[in-house]
Amino acid sequence: MTATDTDAYASPLLGLAGAVAADPPDSGVAAHYGDPMREQRRLAVDRMDFVDLSHRGVVRVAGPDRLSWLHALTTQDVEHLAPGESASALLLSPHGHVEHALAMVDDGEAVWMHVEPGTAPQVVAFLESMRFLMRVEVSDLSAEYAIRWEPTAEGVTAEGVTAEGTAEGTTDHLTRQGADSLGGREIFVPRSKLAETARRVVEAAGDTGSAAGVREAAGAGDTAAAAGPGRPAGLWAYEALRIAAHLPRAGFETDHRTIPNEVGWLGTAVHLHKGCYRGQETVARVHTLGRPPRRLVFLHLDGSVDRLPGHGAPVTHEDRAVGFVTSSARHFEMGPVTLALIRRNVPVDADLLADGVAAAQEVVVPPDAGLHVRPKLRA
């Protein structure tokens, strides 16, 4: 993988039999490996297996001034981020619109972050433009490192930890485990390990890696999967869990005019009691006065309709367009579900249509979200 040519990227795990490639902007990794519902259940219930997120960008910021510098540039309080501690932050425009979301962890010498596919060069370019005389070094390491997500056992604290005891059985991988990690952890893995991971999955399957063999190896009792590196689960399974958790994703739940208040990022990616940063005036004003222009909602779709609304599909109320679909998935328990961004003044009990599909609304960001009313993000 190069830092910019994400369309040409193909993970070694796409070579496994049964793998079906995901659509842009997630090109290069698998949407599923032949059984998306089972893959999702094993992640959510059995707390097993892993998800290939190697198409995401990786950025590293080193130097003695890194924490104070990032503290001043981003929405998060990271000035005293401890080694191994994770954080989420945003880069905003001068008008408070979301430009980039950063998933960060500090290793004691540098802050590592992963970002949306294809955006690492933009993040690096912006950070470089803000260096001035600060003692920092910014690197795009997307060609050297990849991201893998795996669920953690119940009771594991949501703090940054080393990768000891991961599926690779090593201790040299940096791990991020934050409040937005879907009850799991993201591991920064040397890209050279991806082919080895694919080989181990094939060996665990026990029959040249056919889809049937992989399923059999992960069958009753999950003996082979537990003893080996685990099975890969596709991005459909991961996205379904993200949508069900009401977690926004940059480029999906955001457009060119989204502010953090609209999608539930206050408290997770925005610290409301830190010093000035670019775009803070807008965030603080809307938080103080309440009533963001739009609000994120979670929609339960009519399961009798055999299609999912695509990103950008219209959401309507009483024959009027009131917003758009941001992400859709089939959840293994709830059925078809969607996140959508709609006008603030749409009644919270209103029945909606998402691309013509009947949808029952569940509030994520209340219409009067602000200083005294917080988003209802799921634990």
Side-chain angles (χ1 to χ4, degrees):
M1 178 182 181
T2 65
T4 58
D5 193 9
T6 55
D7 290 340
Y9 173 67
S11 168
L13 291 162
L14 269 179
L16 296 175
V20 175
D23 294 326
D26 294 316
S27 303
V29 297
H32 62 85
Y33 294 88
D35 196 345
M37 288 295 105
R38 184 185 183 112
E39 293 165 22
Q40 189 183 149
R41 180 178 292 275
R42 283 173 56 80
L43 292 176
V45 178
D46 300 333
R47 313 303 297 170
M48 301 182 71
D49 301 338
F50 65 92
V51 178
D52 179 12
L53 299 179
S54 61
H55 62 315
R56 291 183 64 83
V58 175
V59 176
R60 182 177 183 267
V61 179
D65 295 333
R66 67 188 183 281
L67 294 179
S68 59
W69 184 62
L70 289 171
H71 179 84
L73 291 176
T74 72
T75 59
Q76 190 57 271
D77 183 352
V78 295
E79 190 167 17
H80 304 292
L81 195 68
E85 188 176 357
S86 302
S88 300
L90 305 173
L91 291 175
L92 305 182
S93 75
H95 298 292
H97 301 139
V98 176
E99 294 187 338
H100 298 284
L102 316 175
M104 306 188 297
V105 61
D106 189 81
D107 68 1
E109 297 181 356
V111 172
W112 294 69
M113 61 186 77
H114 62 85
V115 297
E116 288 296 324
T119 65
Q122 302 168 31
V123 173
V124 169
F126 171 75
L127 294 177
E128 286 283 3
S129 72
M130 303 299 290
R131 280 182 60 185
F132 304 113
L133 298 178
M134 303 300 288
R135 296 170 296 168
V136 293
E137 180 180 348
V138 183
S139 306
D140 182 352
L141 297 185
S142 304
E144 288 82 35
Y145 285 86
I147 301 298
R148 184 184 69 223
W149 179 88
E150 61 184 34
T152 54
E154 296 294 335
V156 175
T157 58
E159 299 290 341
V161 294
T162 62
E164 185 175 8
T166 67
E168 295 291 343
T170 64
T171 58
D172 60 346
H173 301 158
L174 184 65
T175 296
R176 178 185 181 275
Q177 189 171 354
D180 58 353
S181 296
L182 297 180
R185 55 191 176 190
E186 303 112 50
I187 306 174
F188 293 78
V189 182
R191 208 164 271 281
S192 59
K193 295 286 187 181
L194 291 177
E196 180 182 344
T197 298
R199 177 183 59 79
R200 291 187 181 186
V201 170
V202 170
E203 291 176 352
D207 75 342
T208 72
S210 71
V214 172
R215 284 196 294 270
E216 182 180 353
D222 298 310
T223 306
R231 292 183 57 225
L235 201 67
W236 281 5
Y238 178 85
E239 282 291 282
L241 300 183
R242 177 187 69 82
I243 293 167
H246 301 172
L247 289 176
R249 180 179 172 187
F252 284 73
E253 279 62 58
T254 67
D255 58 16
H256 66 283
R257 58 193 181 97
T258 302
I259 62 174
N261 316 60
E262 296 177 316
V263 295
W265 259 320
L266 300 192
T268 57
V270 177
H271 194 282
L272 294 167
H273 303 289
K274 57 162 284 186
C276 187
Y277 55 86
R278 192 170 76 156
Q280 184 192 30
E281 182 179 355
T282 298
V283 174
R285 182 175 65 251
V286 175
H287 177 62
T288 300
L289 298 178
R291 303 163 68 88
R294 299 176 297 179
R295 58 187 180 88
L296 189 69
V297 293
F298 178 76
L299 302 178
H300 297 268
L301 302 179
D302 179 358
S304 66
V305 180
D306 191 23
R307 63 182 174 87
L308 288 173
H311 174 77
V315 175
T316 59
H317 173 54
E318 296 180 345
D319 298 325
R320 295 177 53 201
V322 295
F324 63 93
V325 170
T326 59
S327 301
S328 297
R330 297 189 186 278
H331 191 271
F332 75 104
E333 288 183 328
M334 292 183 282
V337 293
T338 283
L339 289 174
L341 198 59
I342 65 173
R343 294 176 184 172
R344 177 193 58 79
N345 59 1
V346 175
V348 296
D349 57 350
D351 291 327
L352 306 175
L353 293 177
D355 197 19
V357 180
Q361 180 186 169
E362 184 176 323
V363 175
V364 177
V365 176
D368 52 351
L371 191 60
H372 304 294
V373 181
R374 304 299 297 275
K376 300 178 180 179
L377 297 181
R378 289 182 173 173

